[in-house]
Amino acid sequence: MKHIFKKGTDPNKPTLLLLHGTGGTEHDLLPLAELVEPESSVLSVRGNILENGMPRFFRRLAEGVFDEEDLIFRTRELKDFLDESAKKYEFDRNNIVAIGYSNGANIAASILFHYEDGLRGAILHHPMVPRRGIDLPNLKRLPVFIAAGKNDPICPLQESQELKGLLENAGAAVHMHWENYGHQLTRTEVEAAANWFQQNFAK
Ligand code: MLT
């Protein structure tokens, strides 16, 4: 997968996996990694799907209607890419925290839905429920930060609450951050995510 890897100054800090929104690239979220933990290594990935020229991490049939078969395939592809990258760049595979926005948050959530040790933690900006009707793996107190908008036309408030409930039922420790706005990524939610990260992952 097309990506950027930046080696951090502290190998004990989690590697930050950056996953952009629809139409984004691997460059978009680099400033977030700086705010969350400047000493961490960063693996920023571009989605392999193109929708009318816009990169994405998996196909959709319509706005908010996911191509489930492709979602499962692409989730596996990303997980395999993390396994390979950890070997290639020599970082700890068991110490990856994802930071995803929108479509990127959805594929990060999909890794949590499908793989027991896929991630060590996740910051999800405006995620949706990636799949319904499946049993989640045991998430064993895995820390998850969700930022959601109370007036998000793409992800209604109830869907954000549903995602929180599904992850908590699987054992995750979910912190919910609400914004009064819509689907946009705000400065305040990024700062809240950075505080949460320091509380959960500072050594
Ligand atoms: C998705 O397709 O993953 C969601 O609708 C969010 C987005 O527009 O990227």
Side-chain angles (χ1 to χ4, degrees), residues 20-23 51 56 58-60 62-66 101-104 106-107 126 128 154 183:
H20 62 78
T22 299
E51 182 189 89
R56 288 177 54 83
F58 56 88
R59 288 183 208 288
R60 60 180 165 185
E63 173 74 57
V65 186
F66 301 154
Y101 168 59
S102 193
N103 183 243
N106 293 343
I107 193 128
H126 305 272
M128 297 167 69
I154 294 173
H183 199 63

Side-chain angles (χ1 to χ4, degrees), residues 1 13 22 32 47 102:
M1 301 182 79
K13 294 270 161 74
T22 299
L32 265 59
S102 193

Side-chain angles (χ1 to χ4, degrees), residues 86-100:
K87 288 197 192 109
K88 180 173 168 192
Y89 296 119
E90 299 178 325
F91 63 80
D92 181 357
R93 172 65 185 90
N94 296 317
N95 198 13
I96 300 175
V97 174
I99 305 179

Side-chain angles (χ1 to χ4, degrees), residues 58 71-72 75 105-115 130-131:
F58 56 88
L71 173 67
I72 294 164
T75 303
N106 293 343
I107 193 128
S110 183
I111 290 184
L112 301 181
F113 270 46
H114 292 103
Y115 297 104
R131 262 188 96 184

